[in-house]
C-alpha cells in the first residue's frame, strides 16, 4: 500500500463521501438527512462533486440517522458544520414540528452553523417548522417548495402513470410543479455559499399545470395515453390504504384544492440567477430513461 493510498483511505474514513483521491475535503462536514430520498440524494451527489465531505443521513448509513430515534441524532451531528433537513414523511404530519425543532436546537448546540430546511408551500405546520428552525440559534435558510416533478417517476404517482390513469382528488386546481434538481441546486448553494443566511426561497416551476395538463404532458412524453380522472378525497384515501400508504397523504391535496398554491414564485431565480426547469423538459428526460416503459415493469 502506498502512502498516497493509505492517506486516501484515512481521509475517506474521517470524512464520509470525501474525494477518493485523498484530497482534503473543502469546507466543513455536511449532514444530509433524507440522504437517499428524492432531493437528499441529489444534494449528496452535488456536494460530493464539489469535493465536500458528506454524511448521508439514513437508517442504514455507517453513522445511522433516524428522525424517529433521537439517540441517533447526536452521533450524526458530530463534527458537522452544515445540515440539510428533509423530514419524512412530511412536515404537515403530526409531531413533525416538535421533532424538527428539537433536532435544530440540538444541531445549534452541537456547533452546526448552517441549517437548510426543505419545506412545503401552503402548509401551516410547515410554517411552524420553519419558525422552529429560525429560533434554534444558528444560521438558517428555508427552501419552500411546490410539489415535485419527480413524484411522477420516483414516488407515489409512478404506478398510476404506468397504469395509464391519474385518479386524484384535485379537480381543475393547478400547481406549479418544481423539479428536484432545482431544489438540490438551491439547497447546495445555501449549504456552501455566502449570501443565503436568513433567506426563504419559495421554489416553483415556470408555469401552472392542472393534473389534466400533467396527464397530457406525460402522454406526449411516453407516446401512450395517460388519463386524468377526478375522484373524491374519501375515494383516494381508500386507494392509499389499499396500497399500504398513510391516509394522511390524502389531506395534502387540500393544499391544491383551495388554490392557495396556484401562483408562481421566483426562488430559483433569486437563489441561482436562472430560470427553473419546465415540466416538459423533465417529462422528456424521464421518458428517455425508460422509467415509464410498462414492459420493463412486468
Amino acid at each position: 500500500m502506498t502512502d498516497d493510498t493509505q492517506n486516501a483511505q484515512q481521509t475517506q474514513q474521517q470524512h464520509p463521501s470525501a474525494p477518493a483521491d485523498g484530497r482534503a475535503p473543502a469546507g466543513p462536514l455536511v449532514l444530509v438527512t433524507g440522504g437517499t430520498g428524492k432531493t437528499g440524494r441529489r444534494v449528496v451527489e452535488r456536494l460530493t462533486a464539489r469535493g465536500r465531505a458528506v454524511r448521508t443521513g439514513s437508517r442504514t448509513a455507517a453513522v445511522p440517522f433516524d428522525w424517529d430515534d433521537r439517540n441517533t441524532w447526536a452521533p450524526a451531528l458530530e463534527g458537522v458544520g452544515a445540515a440539510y433537513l428533509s423530514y419524512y414523511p412530511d412536515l404537515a404530519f403530526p409531531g413533525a414540528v416538535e421533532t424538527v425543532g428539537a433536532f435544530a436546537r440540538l444541531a445549534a448546540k452541537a456547533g452546526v452553523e448552517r441549517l437548510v430546511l426543505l419545506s412545503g408551500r401552503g402548509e401551516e405546520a410547515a410554517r411552524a417548522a420553519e419558525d422552529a428552525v429560525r429560533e434554534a440559534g444558528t444560521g438558517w435558510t428555508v427552501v419552500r417548495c411546490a410539489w415535485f416533478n419527480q413524484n411522477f417517476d420516483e414516488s407515489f404517482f409512478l404506478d398510476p402513470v404506468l397504469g395509464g390513469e391519474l385518479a386524484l382528488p384535485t379537480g381543475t386546481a393547478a400547481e406549479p410543479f418544481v423539479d428536484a434538481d432545482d431544489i438540490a441546486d438551491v439547497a447546495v448553494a445555501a449549504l456552501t455559499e455566502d449570501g443565503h443566511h436568513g433567506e426563504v426561497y419559495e421554489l416553483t416551476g415556470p408555469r401552472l399545470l392542472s393534473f389534466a395538463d400533467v396527464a397530457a404532458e406525460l402522454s406526449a412524453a411516453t407516446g401512450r395515453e395517460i388519463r386524468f380522472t377526478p375522484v373524491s378525497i374519501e375515494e383516494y384515501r381508500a386507494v392509499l390504504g389499499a396500497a399500504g400508504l398513510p391516509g394522511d397523504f390524502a389531506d395534502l391535496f387540500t393544499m391544491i384544492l383551495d388554490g392557495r398554491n396556484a401562483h408562481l414564485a421566483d426562488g430559483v431565480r433569486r437563489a441561482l440567477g436562472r430560470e427553473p426547469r419546465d415540466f416538459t423538459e423533465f417529462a422528456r428526460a424521464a421518458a428517455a430513461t425508460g422509467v415509464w416503459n410498462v414492459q420493463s415493469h412486468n
Side-chain angles (χ1 to χ4, degrees), residues 147-180:
W147 283 39
F148 302 170
N149 292 342
Q150 281 72 15
N151 287 339
F152 295 95
D153 72 328
E154 298 180 18
S155 193
F156 41 85
F157 294 145
L158 173 57
D159 286 343
V161 174
L162 290 170
E165 182 182 33
L166 293 172
L168 299 167
T170 58
T172 60
E175 173 76 6
F177 295 92
V178 66
D179 199 85

Side-chain angles (χ1 to χ4, degrees), residues 147-173 177 209-220 222 224-232 235-236 239 253 279 282-283 292:
W147 283 39
F148 302 170
N149 292 342
Q150 281 72 15
N151 287 339
F152 295 95
D153 72 328
E154 298 180 18
S155 193
F156 41 85
F157 294 145
L158 173 57
D159 286 343
V161 174
L162 290 170
E165 182 182 33
L166 293 172
L168 299 167
T170 58
T172 60
F177 295 92
L209 294 168
S210 69
F211 277 81
D213 295 330
V214 167
E217 291 276 354
L218 296 175
S219 297
T222 61
R224 59 186 179 84
E225 183 184 10
I226 311 293
R227 301 180 306 279
F228 167 67
T229 302
V231 298
S232 69
E235 289 171 321
Y236 190 63
V239 170
F253 282 96
F279 192 92
F282 152 74
W292 293 319

Side-chain angles (χ1 to χ4, degrees), residues 60-86:
T60 59
V63 180
F65 174 81
D66 185 346
W67 283 111
D68 295 326
D69 182 359
R70 298 194 180 197
N71 292 324
T72 68
W73 293 3
L77 286 167
E78 186 175 352
V80 168
Y84 177 66
L85 309 186
S86 175

Side-chain angles (χ1 to χ4, degrees), residues 106-199:
L106 182 63
K109 185 176 179 180
V112 177
E113 296 181 350
R114 299 188 184 201
L115 296 176
V116 177
L117 175 69
L118 178 68
S119 185
R121 298 177 89 213
E123 301 176 16
E124 292 182 8
R127 294 293 183 93
E130 293 174 13
D131 290 340
V133 171
R134 287 189 186 97
E135 296 164 1
T138 189
W140 59 268
T141 306
V142 170
V143 182
R144 186 187 294 158
C145 300
W147 283 39
F148 302 170
N149 292 342
Q150 281 72 15
N151 287 339
F152 295 95
D153 72 328
E154 298 180 18
S155 193
F156 41 85
F157 294 145
L158 173 57
D159 286 343
V161 174
L162 290 170
E165 182 182 33
L166 293 172
L168 299 167
T170 58
T172 60
E175 173 76 6
F177 295 92
V178 66
D179 199 85
D181 285 325
D182 286 340
I183 299 168
D185 285 344
V186 173
V188 169
L191 287 165
T192 63
E193 301 171 3
D194 294 333
H196 302 286
H197 286 334
E199 293 286 351

